[in-house]
Amino acid sequence: MKTIKIFAIQFLVTFSFLNAQSDTSIVPLWQIDSTIVTDVRYATTNNFTGKVLYPTDKVYARKIVAEALSKAHQELLAKYNYRIKIFDGYRPLSVQRTMWEIYPDDRYVANPATGSRHNRGAAVDITIIDSTGTQLDMGTEYDNFTEKAHYAYPDLPKDVISNRKLLHDTMIKYGFHPITTEWWHFDFNGWKRFSILDVKIP
Ligand SMILES: [Zn+2]
């Protein structure tokens, strides 16, 4: 019975991949805003696991999340000629399990028993790039699992503090919530209303 139910849910969610009609559908980010730059490290071996975890470098998210991210991106573009570059959005639960096996530290990787907000399609990992495509200096690389990646780490150059603040303030304005340990990670407000999914990335 449980298997049938899971199958039915997966069918419905897969269906919504193809027919993005509601705010809660998982949609390809490029369909909402093709000007957001993507750099999906989990589709390469250049990530903390050293393994290719995704079959594609396309980013997916809940439609309402992708639309809010687009607004933040468009503001940075209009004001500074900056763009948002995204590393990760929706992440299937099976990928979360692989990450946890490799790095079981819940300050940086969510335990698959409770799931990540990425598994709900309600979180994004991002940075800002300038008009030449160069990343603004945020003090560390993406997925740096040290205290230096904590937003409020005190010993940082002024420009790094101001770059992090620009990213935070812009994202908060458009409905996202930062976390303390990763300057690149933002949850969408109300993430709890989205369920954890294990639908494979198409
Ligand atoms: Zn994240």
Side-chain angles (χ1 to χ4, degrees), residues 42 88-89 91 108 116 118 123-126 142-143 179 182 184-187:
Y42 300 142
D88 197 21
R91 178 190 307 154
Y108 297 101
S116 160
H118 285 285
V124 291
D125 294 338
I126 57 169
Y142 168 56
D143 273 353
I179 61 170
E182 301 175 349
W184 56 83
H185 177 105
F186 296 87
D187 297 317

Side-chain angles (χ1 to χ4, degrees), residues 18-197:
L18 303 171
N19 296 275
Q21 287 169 352
S22 79
D23 276 356
T24 59
S25 300
I26 297 274
V27 298
L29 179 60
W30 61 267
Q31 280 186 7
I32 304 297
D33 191 329
S34 62
T35 66
I36 296 174
V37 175
T38 58
D39 181 9
V40 182
R41 303 284 179 83
Y42 300 142
T44 73
T45 55
N46 180 22
N47 65 66
F48 75 94
T49 69
K51 294 180 176 175
V52 176
L53 300 171
Y54 292 171
T56 170
D57 60 359
K58 298 268 187 305
V59 177
Y60 291 80
R62 301 279 178 179
K63 186 162 176 267
I64 194 171
V65 178
E67 286 170 347
L69 183 67
S70 170
K71 284 181 188 153
H73 166 76
Q74 291 298 336
E75 177 169 312
L76 290 169
L77 195 55
K79 274 192 181 171
Y80 309 101
N81 205 16
Y82 287 165
R83 289 167 195 260
I84 281 178
K85 180 161 93 170
I86 184 162
F87 301 112
D88 197 21
Y90 164 66
R91 178 190 307 154
L93 188 62
S94 56
V95 173
Q96 195 68 37
R97 289 194 193 103
T98 304
M99 288 179 171
W100 182 252
E101 280 166 19
I102 294 166
Y103 206 90
D105 180 342
D106 63 11
R107 288 174 307 163
Y108 297 101
V109 177
N111 188 329
T114 47
S116 160
R117 287 146 204 191
H118 285 285
N119 304 143
R120 300 170 189 260
V124 291
D125 294 338
I126 57 169
T127 191
I128 299 173
I129 57 173
D130 68 15
S131 59
T132 70
T134 305
Q135 284 181 213
L136 268 54
D137 188 355
M138 295 292 179
T140 74
E141 273 292 296
Y142 168 56
D143 273 353
N144 175 301
F145 296 160
T146 71
E147 285 191 9
K148 204 175 175 189
H150 293 195
Y151 177 70
Y153 186 78
D155 189 19
L156 293 168
K158 269 187 185 165
D159 62 326
V160 171
I161 291 169
S162 118
N163 291 340
R164 286 186 180 186
K165 186 171 181 341
L166 176 63
L167 182 61
H168 273 226
D169 290 354
T170 307
M171 292 299 281
I172 288 165
K173 179 175 175 184
Y174 290 102
F176 289 86
H177 183 75
I179 61 170
T180 56
T181 52
E182 301 175 349
W183 59 257
W184 56 83
H185 177 105
F186 296 87
D187 297 317
F188 191 63
N189 291 339
W191 54 269
K192 278 185 187 165
R193 73 188 177 100
F194 305 116
S195 56
I196 290 172
L197 302 173

